[in-house]
Amino acid sequence: PHLQVLSSHPLAVSSLAPSLDTMAARKPIVGGNWKCNPEKLSDLDGLIENINKCDVSKCDVYVCPSPLHVTYCVDKVTNGAAVCPQNCNFKGCGAYTGEMSVEQMKDLKIEWCLIGHSERREYFSESDELLATKLKYILDAGMKCVFCIGEKLPEREKGLEATMAVCITQLEQVKGMLDPEKVVIAYEPVWAIGTGVTATAEQAQETHAEIRKWIAANVSEECAAGIRIQYGGSANAKNAPELSACPDIDGFLVGGASLKPEFVEIVAAISAAK
């Protein structure tokens, strides 16, 4: 089902055109976030096999196992996809019970880390200030980051301006660190995560274009043209082709569907479209 909540902002056909110089070669990127799954270690090999079936020649691929499973997966993902932990500490090793440092990740030859997922913001009270500290920590260590942003349903129902107000607040403190070579933005409308409700392709494209427009005005046009923005709201094999056709959608952060064989199809869909 689609949630039609931006009808007050009808899209002209021209708004599906690239918002900026999308001719800058932005290689698609698709991530699979397994969240706190699977329950059994014995289920990992099947999930890893699915990642290894992905064709990464035209699309960067990463997978986010649960913390307990990261080490198991590192040596078993063999097709060029990256293993990307779902979170990290805000500083190095030491007296930080329950945390993972990027130094530990680097020792495992891990190059990517995801932060700012809506579930971390919501359930673990991670603030914009903390996430800015974490992003600097990741980048200072020479690693790359998938940085998640996105609005909840009440903001979306108020329209694009309210949606962007949330995204801008979440980006404001990290705007000086948005290096397209090192940072990927994952835009995830929180109301569409795990609900089966997805933004329409028009809604997703409109928001991605506005995020890129804001980056152009507040960072640089070069950054806006180069930085990759993933869509992260219940992406699946069925909706991936239509979403992939949108010029400002550079990939997907996939939740539930990353635990299914269709993940391979999602990677193939955007590889074909771009």
Side-chain angles (χ1 to χ4, degrees):
H2 292 305
L3 189 62
Q4 297 286 1
V5 290
L6 280 186
S7 56
S8 59
H9 297 273
L11 276 178
V13 173
S14 61
S15 65
L16 286 178
S19 60
L20 280 161
D21 180 18
T22 53
M23 295 308 290
R26 295 197 302 266
K27 186 177 183 181
I29 181 166
V30 175
N33 181 14
W34 293 347
K35 306 189 180 186
C36 191
N37 294 298
E39 180 181 341
K40 297 179 180 178
L41 188 72
S42 58
D43 291 336
L44 280 175
D45 285 344
L47 293 175
I48 293 168
E49 181 183 2
N50 202 32
I51 299 298
N52 283 331
K53 287 180 180 177
C54 294
D55 181 354
V56 302
S57 61
K58 296 181 180 179
C59 179
D60 289 334
V61 175
Y62 64 88
V63 61
C64 305
S66 69
L68 277 174
H69 295 158
V70 165
T71 307
Y72 182 88
C73 295
V74 165
D75 294 328
K76 292 181 172 58
V77 175
T78 56
N79 66 334
V83 172
C84 173
Q86 300 170 9
N87 186 32
C88 71
N89 194 9
F90 59 91
K91 59 172 65 178
C93 296
Y96 304 104
T97 300
E99 292 295 327
M100 301 177 291
S101 74
V102 298
E103 289 80 4
Q104 291 170 321
M105 296 176 193
K106 289 177 70 175
D107 185 58
L108 293 172
K109 305 295 188 290
I110 289 171
E111 299 179 357
W112 286 86
C113 184
L114 180 145
I115 59 172
H117 193 279
S118 60
E119 290 154 13
R120 298 294 313 174
R121 293 175 184 266
E122 178 76 13
Y123 304 141
F124 302 96
S125 303
E126 295 200 357
S127 66
D128 295 326
E129 293 79 9
L130 175 64
L131 292 168
T133 300
K134 286 188 177 189
L135 180 58
K136 184 177 187 304
Y137 169 51
I138 291 166
L139 297 180
D140 284 351
M143 289 179 58
K144 299 176 182 179
C145 182
V146 179
F147 191 86
C148 302
I149 63 171
E151 83 286 357
K152 296 180 181 178
L153 185 58
E155 290 87 24
R156 170 56 65 168
E157 288 178 329
K158 292 176 184 175
L160 184 60
E161 189 174 339
T163 291
M164 280 304 299
V166 174
C167 294
I168 289 167
T169 298
Q170 293 171 342
L171 286 171
E172 185 66 45
Q173 295 190 42
V174 300
K175 65 184 181 184
M177 294 181 271
L178 296 180
D179 180 346
E181 298 296 319
K182 299 176 181 177
V183 179
V184 170
I185 295 171
Y187 164 67
E188 34 167 34
V190 179
W191 48 271
I193 298 174
T195 61
V197 178
T198 56
T200 64
E202 290 80 10
Q203 287 173 331
Q205 163 59 23
E206 182 179 43
T207 309
H208 279 233
E210 284 297 312
I211 293 169
R212 206 177 296 284
K213 181 179 174 183
W214 183 86
I215 293 171
N218 292 274
V219 183
S220 71
E221 293 215 2
E222 182 182 14
C223 177
I227 199 159
R228 295 181 289 182
I229 306 175
Q230 296 179 295
Y231 173 73
S234 293
N236 55 49
K238 186 176 181 180
N239 60 32
E242 184 182 13
L243 289 164
S244 297
C246 298
D248 287 295
I249 294 179
D250 302 312
F252 304 105
L253 177 55
V254 185
S258 70
L259 297 164
K260 302 173 184 178
E262 69 182 273
F263 184 74
V264 178
E265 299 174 47
I266 297 172
V267 173
I270 197 159
S271 297
K274 304 296 184 182

Coordinates of all heavy atoms in Angstrom, one line a residue, residues 9-98:
H9 N 1.1 18.7 -2.5 CA 2.3 19.1 -3.3 C 2.4 18.3 -4.5 O 3.3 17.4 -4.7 CB 3.6 18.9 -2.4 CG 3.6 19.8 -1.2 ND1 4.1 21.1 -1.2 CD2 3.2 19.6 0.1 CE1 4.0 21.6 0.0 NE2 3.4 20.7 0.8
P10 N 1.5 18.4 -5.5 CA 1.5 17.6 -6.7 C 2.8 17.8 -7.4 O 3.3 19.0 -7.5 CB 0.3 18.1 -7.5 CG 0.0 19.5 -6.9 CD 0.4 19.4 -5.5
L11 N 3.3 16.7 -8.0 CA 4.6 16.8 -8.7 C 4.4 17.1 -10.1 O 3.6 16.4 -10.8 CB 5.4 15.5 -8.5 CG 6.2 15.3 -7.3 CD1 6.8 14.0 -7.3 CD2 7.3 16.4 -7.2
A12 N 5.1 18.1 -10.6 CA 5.1 18.3 -12.1 C 6.0 17.2 -12.7 O 6.9 16.7 -12.0 CB 5.6 19.7 -12.4
V13 N 5.8 16.9 -13.9 CA 6.7 15.9 -14.5 C 8.1 16.3 -14.5 O 9.0 15.4 -14.3 CB 6.2 15.7 -16.0 CG1 7.2 14.7 -16.7 CG2 4.8 15.1 -16.1
S14 N 8.4 17.6 -14.6 CA 9.7 18.0 -14.6 C 10.5 17.8 -13.3 O 11.7 17.7 -13.3 CB 9.8 19.6 -14.9 OG 9.1 20.3 -13.9
S15 N 9.8 17.6 -12.2 CA 10.5 17.4 -11.0 C 11.1 16.0 -10.9 O 11.8 15.7 -10.0 CB 9.5 17.6 -9.8 OG 8.5 16.6 -9.8
L16 N 10.7 15.1 -11.8 CA 11.4 13.8 -11.9 C 12.7 13.9 -12.6 O 13.4 12.9 -12.7 CB 10.5 12.8 -12.5 CG 9.3 12.3 -11.6 CD1 8.4 11.3 -12.4 CD2 9.8 11.7 -10.4
A17 N 13.0 15.0 -13.2 CA 14.3 15.2 -13.8 C 15.3 15.4 -12.7 O 15.0 15.7 -11.6 CB 14.2 16.5 -14.7
P18 N 16.6 15.2 -13.1 CA 17.7 15.3 -12.1 C 17.6 16.7 -11.5 O 17.5 17.7 -12.2 CB 18.9 15.1 -12.9 CG 18.5 14.3 -14.0 CD 17.1 14.7 -14.3
S19 N 17.7 16.8 -10.1 CA 17.7 18.1 -9.5 C 18.9 18.9 -9.6 O 18.9 20.1 -9.5 CB 17.4 17.9 -8.0 OG 18.4 17.1 -7.4
L20 N 20.1 18.2 -9.8 CA 21.3 18.8 -10.0 C 22.1 18.0 -11.0 O 21.5 17.2 -11.8 CB 22.1 18.9 -8.7 CG 21.7 20.0 -7.7 CD1 22.1 19.7 -6.3 CD2 22.2 21.4 -8.2
D21 N 23.4 18.2 -11.1 CA 24.2 17.5 -12.1 C 24.3 16.1 -11.7 O 25.4 15.6 -11.2 CB 25.6 18.2 -12.2 CG 26.4 17.5 -13.3 OD1 25.9 16.7 -14.1 OD2 27.6 17.7 -13.2
T22 N 23.3 15.3 -12.0 CA 23.4 13.9 -11.7 C 24.2 13.1 -12.7 O 24.3 11.9 -12.6 CB 22.0 13.2 -11.6 OG1 21.3 13.5 -12.8 CG2 21.2 13.8 -10.4
M23 N 24.8 13.8 -13.7 CA 25.7 13.1 -14.6 C 27.0 12.8 -13.9 O 27.8 12.0 -14.4 CB 25.9 14.0 -15.8 CG 24.7 14.3 -16.7 SD 23.8 12.8 -17.1 CE 25.0 12.1 -18.3
A24 N 27.2 13.5 -12.7 CA 28.4 13.1 -11.9 C 28.2 11.6 -11.6 O 27.1 11.2 -11.1 CB 28.5 13.9 -10.7
A25 N 29.2 10.8 -11.9 CA 29.0 9.3 -11.8 C 28.8 8.9 -10.4 O 29.8 8.7 -9.6 CB 30.2 8.6 -12.4
R26 N 27.6 8.7 -9.9 CA 27.3 8.2 -8.6 C 27.0 6.7 -8.7 O 26.0 6.3 -9.2 CB 26.1 9.0 -8.0 CG 26.4 10.4 -7.7 CD 25.4 11.0 -6.7 NE 24.0 10.9 -7.2 CZ 23.3 11.8 -7.9 NH1 23.9 12.9 -8.2 NH2 22.1 11.6 -8.2
K27 N 28.0 5.9 -8.3 CA 27.8 4.5 -8.4 C 26.7 4.1 -7.4 O 26.7 4.5 -6.2 CB 29.1 3.7 -8.1 CG 29.0 2.2 -8.3 CD 30.3 1.6 -8.0 CE 30.3 0.1 -8.3 NZ 31.6 -0.6 -8.0
P28 N 25.7 3.3 -7.8 CA 24.6 2.8 -6.9 C 25.2 2.1 -5.7 O 26.3 1.5 -5.8 CB 23.8 1.9 -7.8 CG 24.1 2.3 -9.2 CD 25.5 2.7 -9.2
I29 N 24.5 2.2 -4.6 CA 24.9 1.5 -3.4 C 23.7 0.9 -2.7 O 22.7 1.6 -2.4 CB 25.8 2.4 -2.5 CG1 26.2 1.6 -1.2 CG2 25.0 3.7 -2.1 CD1 27.4 2.3 -0.5
V30 N 23.7 -0.4 -2.4 CA 22.6 -1.0 -1.7 C 23.2 -1.7 -0.4 O 24.2 -2.5 -0.5 CB 22.0 -2.1 -2.6 CG1 20.9 -2.9 -1.8 CG2 21.3 -1.4 -3.8
G31 N 22.5 -1.5 0.7 CA 22.9 -2.1 1.9 C 21.8 -3.0 2.5 O 20.6 -2.7 2.3
G32 N 22.2 -4.1 3.1 CA 21.2 -5.0 3.8 C 21.4 -4.8 5.3 O 22.5 -5.2 5.8
N33 N 20.4 -4.3 6.0 CA 20.4 -4.2 7.4 C 19.7 -5.4 8.1 O 18.4 -5.4 8.1 CB 19.9 -2.9 7.9 CG 19.9 -2.7 9.4 OD1 20.6 -3.4 10.1 ND2 19.2 -1.7 9.8
W34 N 20.4 -6.3 8.6 CA 19.8 -7.5 9.3 C 19.2 -7.2 10.7 O 18.6 -8.0 11.2 CB 20.8 -8.6 9.4 CG 21.2 -9.2 8.0 CD1 20.6 -8.9 6.8 CD2 22.3 -10.1 7.8 NE1 21.3 -9.6 5.8 CE2 22.3 -10.3 6.4 CE3 23.3 -10.7 8.6 CZ2 23.2 -11.2 5.8 CZ3 24.2 -11.5 8.0 CH2 24.2 -11.8 6.6
K35 N 19.6 -6.0 11.2 CA 19.1 -5.6 12.5 C 19.4 -6.6 13.5 O 20.5 -7.2 13.5 CB 17.6 -5.2 12.4 CG 17.3 -4.2 11.3 CD 15.8 -3.7 11.4 CE 15.6 -2.7 10.3 NZ 14.3 -2.0 10.4
C36 N 18.5 -7.0 14.4 CA 18.8 -8.0 15.5 C 18.3 -9.3 15.0 O 17.4 -10.0 15.6 CB 18.2 -7.6 16.8 SG 18.8 -8.6 18.2
N37 N 18.9 -9.8 13.8 CA 18.5 -11.1 13.2 C 19.8 -11.7 12.6 O 20.7 -10.9 12.3 CB 17.5 -10.8 12.1 CG 16.2 -10.3 12.6 OD1 15.5 -11.0 13.3 ND2 15.8 -9.1 12.2
P38 N 19.8 -13.0 12.4 CA 18.8 -14.0 12.8 C 19.1 -14.4 14.2 O 20.1 -14.1 14.8 CB 19.2 -15.1 11.8 CG 20.6 -15.0 11.6 CD 20.9 -13.6 11.6
E39 N 18.1 -15.2 14.7 CA 18.3 -15.7 16.1 C 19.4 -16.7 16.2 O 20.1 -16.8 17.2 CB 16.9 -16.3 16.5 CG 16.9 -16.8 18.0 CD 15.6 -17.5 18.3 OE1 14.6 -17.2 17.7 OE2 15.6 -18.2 19.3
K40 N 19.5 -17.6 15.2 CA 20.5 -18.7 15.3 C 21.7 -18.5 14.4 O 21.5 -18.1 13.2 CB 19.8 -20.0 14.9 CG 18.6 -20.3 15.8 CD 17.9 -21.6 15.4 CE 16.8 -22.0 16.4 NZ 16.1 -23.2 15.9
L41 N 22.8 -18.8 14.9 CA 24.1 -18.7 14.1 C 24.0 -19.6 12.9 O 24.6 -19.2 11.8 CB 25.3 -19.1 15.0 CG 26.7 -18.9 14.4 CD1 27.0 -17.4 14.4 CD2 27.7 -19.6 15.2
S42 N 23.3 -20.7 13.0 CA 23.2 -21.6 11.9 C 22.5 -21.1 10.7 O 22.6 -21.6 9.6 CB 22.6 -22.9 12.4 OG 21.3 -22.6 12.9
D43 N 21.8 -20.0 10.9 CA 21.0 -19.4 9.8 C 21.9 -18.4 9.0 O 21.5 -17.9 7.9 CB 19.8 -18.6 10.3 CG 18.7 -19.6 10.8 OD1 18.7 -20.7 10.4 OD2 17.9 -19.2 11.6
L44 N 23.1 -18.1 9.5 CA 23.9 -17.0 8.9 C 24.4 -17.5 7.5 O 24.5 -16.6 6.6 CB 25.1 -16.7 9.8 CG 24.8 -15.7 10.9 CD1 26.0 -15.5 11.8 CD2 24.3 -14.3 10.3
D45 N 24.8 -18.7 7.4 CA 25.4 -19.1 6.1 C 24.5 -18.9 4.9 O 24.9 -18.5 3.8 CB 25.9 -20.6 6.2 CG 27.1 -20.8 7.0 OD1 27.8 -19.8 7.3 OD2 27.4 -21.9 7.4
G46 N 23.2 -19.2 5.1 CA 22.2 -19.0 4.0 C 22.1 -17.5 3.7 O 22.0 -17.1 2.5
L47 N 22.1 -16.6 4.7 CA 22.0 -15.2 4.5 C 23.3 -14.7 3.8 O 23.2 -13.8 2.9 CB 21.8 -14.4 5.8 CG 20.5 -14.7 6.5 CD1 20.5 -14.0 7.9 CD2 19.3 -14.2 5.6
I48 N 24.4 -15.2 4.2 CA 25.7 -14.7 3.6 C 25.8 -15.2 2.1 O 26.2 -14.5 1.2 CB 26.9 -15.3 4.4 CG1 26.9 -14.6 5.8 CG2 28.2 -15.1 3.6 CD1 27.9 -15.3 6.7
E49 N 25.3 -16.4 1.9 CA 25.2 -16.9 0.5 C 24.4 -16.0 -0.4 O 24.8 -15.7 -1.6 CB 24.6 -18.3 0.5 CG 24.6 -19.0 -0.9 CD 23.9 -20.3 -0.9 OE1 23.4 -20.8 0.1 OE2 23.8 -20.9 -2.0
N50 N 23.3 -15.5 0.1 CA 22.5 -14.5 -0.6 C 23.3 -13.3 -1.0 O 23.2 -12.7 -2.1 CB 21.3 -14.2 0.2 CG 20.1 -13.7 -0.6 OD1 19.9 -14.1 -1.7 ND2 19.3 -12.8 0.0
I51 N 24.1 -12.7 0.0 CA 24.9 -11.6 -0.3 C 25.9 -11.9 -1.3 O 26.2 -11.1 -2.3 CB 25.6 -11.1 1.0 CG1 24.6 -10.7 2.1 CG2 26.5 -9.9 0.7 CD1 23.7 -9.6 1.7
N52 N 26.5 -13.0 -1.2 CA 27.6 -13.4 -2.2 C 27.0 -13.6 -3.6 O 27.8 -13.7 -4.6 CB 28.3 -14.7 -1.7 CG 29.3 -14.4 -0.6 OD1 29.8 -13.3 -0.5 ND2 29.5 -15.4 0.3
K53 N 25.7 -13.8 -3.7 CA 25.1 -14.0 -5.1 C 24.9 -12.6 -5.8 O 24.6 -12.6 -7.0 CB 23.8 -14.7 -5.0 CG 23.8 -16.2 -4.6 CD 22.4 -16.8 -4.5 CE 22.5 -18.3 -4.2 NZ 21.2 -18.8 -4.1
C54 N 25.1 -11.5 -5.0 CA 24.9 -10.2 -5.6 C 26.0 -9.9 -6.6 O 27.2 -10.1 -6.3 CB 24.8 -9.1 -4.5 SG 23.4 -9.3 -3.5
D55 N 25.6 -9.3 -7.7 CA 26.6 -8.8 -8.7 C 27.0 -7.4 -8.3 O 26.2 -6.5 -8.3 CB 26.0 -8.8 -10.1 CG 26.9 -8.3 -11.2 OD1 28.1 -7.9 -10.8 OD2 26.6 -8.3 -12.4
V56 N 28.3 -7.3 -7.8 CA 28.7 -6.0 -7.3 C 29.5 -5.2 -8.4 O 30.2 -4.2 -8.0 CB 29.6 -6.2 -6.0 CG1 28.8 -6.9 -5.0 CG2 30.8 -6.9 -6.3
S57 N 29.5 -5.6 -9.6 CA 30.3 -5.0 -10.7 C 29.8 -3.5 -11.0 O 30.5 -2.7 -11.3 CB 30.3 -5.8 -11.9 OG 29.0 -5.9 -12.5
K58 N 28.4 -3.3 -10.8 CA 27.9 -2.0 -11.1 C 27.2 -1.4 -9.9 O 26.6 -0.3 -10.0 CB 26.8 -2.1 -12.3 CG 27.4 -2.6 -13.6 CD 26.4 -2.6 -14.7 CE 26.9 -3.1 -16.0 NZ 25.9 -3.2 -17.0
C59 N 27.3 -2.0 -8.8 CA 26.7 -1.5 -7.6 C 27.5 -1.9 -6.3 O 27.8 -3.0 -6.2 CB 25.3 -2.1 -7.5 SG 24.3 -1.6 -6.0
D60 N 27.8 -0.9 -5.5 CA 28.4 -1.2 -4.2 C 27.4 -1.9 -3.3 O 26.2 -1.5 -3.3 CB 28.9 0.1 -3.5 CG 30.1 0.6 -4.2 OD1 30.9 -0.1 -4.9 OD2 30.4 1.9 -4.1
V61 N 27.8 -2.9 -2.6 CA 26.9 -3.6 -1.7 C 27.5 -3.7 -0.3 O 28.7 -4.0 -0.2 CB 26.6 -5.0 -2.3 CG1 25.7 -5.8 -1.3 CG2 25.9 -4.9 -3.6
Y62 N 26.7 -3.5 0.7 CA 27.2 -3.8 2.1 C 26.1 -4.5 2.9 O 24.9 -4.5 2.5 CB 27.6 -2.5 2.8 CG 26.5 -1.5 3.0 CD1 25.7 -1.5 4.2 CD2 26.2 -0.4 2.1 CE1 24.7 -0.6 4.4 CE2 25.2 0.5 2.3 CZ 24.5 0.4 3.5 OH 23.5 1.3 3.7
V63 N 26.6 -5.1 3.9 CA 25.6 -5.9 4.8 C 25.9 -5.5 6.2 O 27.1 -5.4 6.6 CB 25.7 -7.4 4.6 CG1 27.1 -7.9 4.9 CG2 24.6 -8.1 5.4
C64 N 24.9 -5.3 7.0 CA 25.0 -4.9 8.4 C 24.5 -6.1 9.3 O 23.3 -6.1 9.6 CB 24.2 -3.7 8.7 SG 24.6 -2.3 7.6
P65 N 25.4 -7.0 9.7 CA 25.0 -8.0 10.6 C 24.8 -7.5 12.0 O 25.3 -6.4 12.3 CB 26.1 -9.0 10.6 CG 27.1 -8.5 9.5 CD 26.8 -7.1 9.3
S66 N 24.1 -8.2 12.9 CA 24.1 -7.8 14.3 C 25.5 -7.9 14.9 O 26.3 -8.6 14.4 CB 23.1 -8.8 15.0 OG 23.6 -10.1 15.2
P67 N 25.7 -7.1 15.9 CA 27.1 -7.1 16.5 C 27.7 -8.4 16.8 O 28.9 -8.7 16.5 CB 26.9 -6.3 17.8 CG 25.7 -5.4 17.5 CD 24.8 -6.2 16.6
L68 N 26.9 -9.4 17.3 CA 27.5 -10.7 17.7 C 27.9 -11.5 16.4 O 28.8 -12.3 16.5 CB 26.4 -11.5 18.4 CG 26.3 -11.3 19.9 CD1 25.1 -12.1 20.5 CD2 27.6 -11.7 20.6
H69 N 27.4 -11.1 15.3 CA 27.6 -11.9 14.1 C 28.6 -11.2 13.1 O 29.0 -11.9 12.1 CB 26.3 -12.1 13.3 CG 25.3 -13.0 14.1 ND1 24.0 -12.9 13.9 CD2 25.5 -13.9 15.1 CE1 23.4 -13.8 14.7 NE2 24.3 -14.3 15.4
V70 N 29.1 -10.0 13.4 CA 30.0 -9.3 12.5 C 31.2 -10.1 12.2 O 31.6 -10.3 11.0 CB 30.3 -7.9 13.1 CG1 31.5 -7.3 12.3 CG2 29.1 -7.0 13.0
T71 N 31.9 -10.6 13.2 CA 33.2 -11.3 13.0 C 33.0 -12.5 12.2 O 33.8 -12.9 11.4 CB 33.8 -11.7 14.4 OG1 33.8 -10.5 15.2 CG2 35.2 -12.2 14.2
Y72 N 31.9 -13.3 12.4 CA 31.6 -14.5 11.7 C 31.5 -14.2 10.2 O 31.9 -14.9 9.3 CB 30.3 -15.1 12.2 CG 30.0 -16.4 11.5 CD1 30.5 -17.7 12.0 CD2 29.2 -16.5 10.4 CE1 30.2 -18.9 11.3 CE2 28.8 -17.7 9.8 CZ 29.4 -18.9 10.2 OH 29.1 -20.0 9.6
C73 N 30.9 -13.0 9.9 CA 30.6 -12.7 8.5 C 31.8 -12.1 7.7 O 31.8 -12.3 6.5 CB 29.4 -11.7 8.4 SG 27.8 -12.3 9.1
V74 N 32.7 -11.5 8.4 CA 33.8 -10.8 7.7 C 34.5 -11.6 6.7 O 34.7 -11.2 5.6 CB 34.8 -10.2 8.8 CG1 36.0 -9.7 8.1 CG2 34.1 -9.0 9.5
D75 N 34.9 -12.8 7.1 CA 35.7 -13.6 6.1 C 34.8 -14.4 5.2 O 35.4 -15.0 4.2 CB 36.6 -14.6 6.9 CG 37.6 -13.8 7.7 OD1 38.1 -12.8 7.3 OD2 38.0 -14.3 8.8
K76 N 33.5 -14.4 5.4 CA 32.7 -15.3 4.6 C 32.0 -14.5 3.4 O 31.4 -15.1 2.5 CB 31.7 -16.0 5.4 CG 32.3 -17.0 6.4 CD 31.3 -17.8 7.2 CE 32.0 -18.9 8.0 NZ 33.1 -18.5 8.8
V77 N 32.0 -13.2 3.5 CA 31.4 -12.4 2.4 C 32.6 -12.2 1.4 O 33.6 -11.5 1.7 CB 30.9 -11.0 2.9 CG1 30.5 -10.1 1.8 CG2 29.7 -11.2 3.9
T78 N 32.5 -12.8 0.3 CA 33.7 -13.0 -0.6 C 33.5 -12.4 -2.0 O 34.4 -12.5 -2.8 CB 34.0 -14.5 -0.7 OG1 32.8 -15.2 -1.3 CG2 34.4 -15.1 0.6
N79 N 32.4 -11.7 -2.2 CA 32.2 -11.2 -3.6 C 32.5 -9.7 -3.7 O 32.2 -9.1 -4.7 CB 30.7 -11.4 -4.0 CG 29.7 -10.6 -3.1 OD1 30.1 -10.2 -2.0 ND2 28.6 -10.3 -3.6
G80 N 33.1 -9.1 -2.7 CA 33.4 -7.7 -2.8 C 32.5 -6.8 -2.0 O 32.7 -5.6 -1.9
A81 N 31.4 -7.4 -1.5 CA 30.5 -6.7 -0.7 C 31.2 -6.4 0.7 O 32.1 -7.1 1.1 CB 29.2 -7.5 -0.4
A82 N 30.8 -5.3 1.3 CA 31.4 -4.9 2.6 C 30.6 -5.3 3.8 O 29.3 -5.3 3.7 CB 31.6 -3.3 2.6
V83 N 31.2 -5.6 4.8 CA 30.6 -5.9 6.1 C 30.6 -4.5 6.9 O 31.6 -3.9 7.0 CB 31.2 -7.0 6.9 CG1 30.6 -7.1 8.3 CG2 31.1 -8.3 6.2
C84 N 29.4 -4.1 7.3 CA 29.2 -2.8 7.9 C 28.5 -2.8 9.2 O 27.3 -3.0 9.2 CB 28.5 -1.9 6.8 SG 28.0 -0.3 7.4
P85 N 29.2 -2.7 10.3 CA 28.4 -2.8 11.6 C 27.3 -1.7 11.7 O 27.4 -0.7 11.0 CB 29.6 -2.5 12.6 CG 30.8 -3.0 12.0 CD 30.6 -2.6 10.5
Q86 N 26.3 -2.0 12.5 CA 25.1 -1.2 12.6 C 25.3 0.0 13.5 O 24.4 0.9 13.6 CB 24.0 -2.0 13.1 CG 23.6 -3.2 12.3 CD 22.6 -4.1 12.9 OE1 22.1 -3.8 14.0 NE2 22.4 -5.3 12.3
N87 N 26.5 0.1 14.2 CA 26.7 1.2 15.2 C 28.1 1.2 15.6 O 28.8 0.2 15.3 CB 25.7 0.9 16.4 CG 25.7 2.0 17.4 OD1 25.9 3.2 17.1 ND2 25.6 1.7 18.7
C88 N 28.5 2.2 16.3 CA 29.9 2.2 16.9 C 29.9 3.1 18.1 O 28.9 3.9 18.4 CB 30.9 2.7 15.9 SG 30.8 4.5 15.5
N89 N 30.9 3.1 18.9 CA 31.2 3.9 20.0 C 31.4 5.4 19.5 O 31.6 5.6 18.3 CB 32.4 3.4 20.8 CG 32.5 4.0 22.2 OD1 31.6 4.7 22.6 ND2 33.6 3.7 22.8
F90 N 31.5 6.3 20.5 CA 31.9 7.7 20.1 C 33.3 8.0 20.3 O 33.8 9.1 20.0 CB 31.0 8.7 20.9 CG 31.1 8.5 22.4 CD1 32.1 9.3 23.1 CD2 30.3 7.6 23.1 CE1 32.2 9.2 24.5 CE2 30.5 7.5 24.5 CZ 31.4 8.3 25.2
K91 N 34.1 7.1 20.9 CA 35.5 7.2 21.0 C 36.1 5.8 21.1 O 35.4 4.8 21.0 CB 36.0 8.1 22.2 CG 35.5 7.7 23.5 CD 36.2 8.5 24.6 CE 35.7 10.0 24.6 NZ 36.3 10.8 25.6
G92 N 37.4 5.7 21.3 CA 38.1 4.4 21.2 C 37.9 3.4 22.3 O 36.9 3.4 23.0
C93 N 38.8 2.4 22.3 CA 38.6 1.3 23.3 C 38.8 1.8 24.7 O 39.3 2.9 24.9 CB 39.7 0.3 23.0 SG 39.6 -0.6 21.4
G94 N 38.3 1.1 25.6 CA 38.3 1.5 27.0 C 37.1 1.1 27.8 O 36.5 0.1 27.5
A95 N 36.8 1.9 28.8 CA 35.7 1.6 29.7 C 34.4 2.0 29.2 O 33.7 3.0 29.7 CB 36.0 2.2 31.1
Y96 N 33.9 1.3 28.1 CA 32.7 1.7 27.4 C 31.9 0.4 27.3 O 31.8 -0.2 26.2 CB 32.9 2.4 26.1 CG 33.8 3.6 26.3 CD1 35.1 3.6 25.9 CD2 33.2 4.8 26.8 CE1 35.9 4.7 26.0 CE2 34.0 5.9 26.9 CZ 35.3 5.9 26.6 OH 36.1 7.0 26.7
T97 N 31.3 -0.1 28.3 CA 30.6 -1.4 28.4 C 29.5 -1.4 27.3 O 28.7 -0.5 27.2 CB 30.0 -1.6 29.8 OG1 31.0 -1.6 30.7 CG2 29.3 -3.0 29.8
G98 N 29.5 -2.5 26.5 CA 28.5 -2.7 25.5 C 28.8 -2.1 24.2 O 27.9 -2.2 23.3

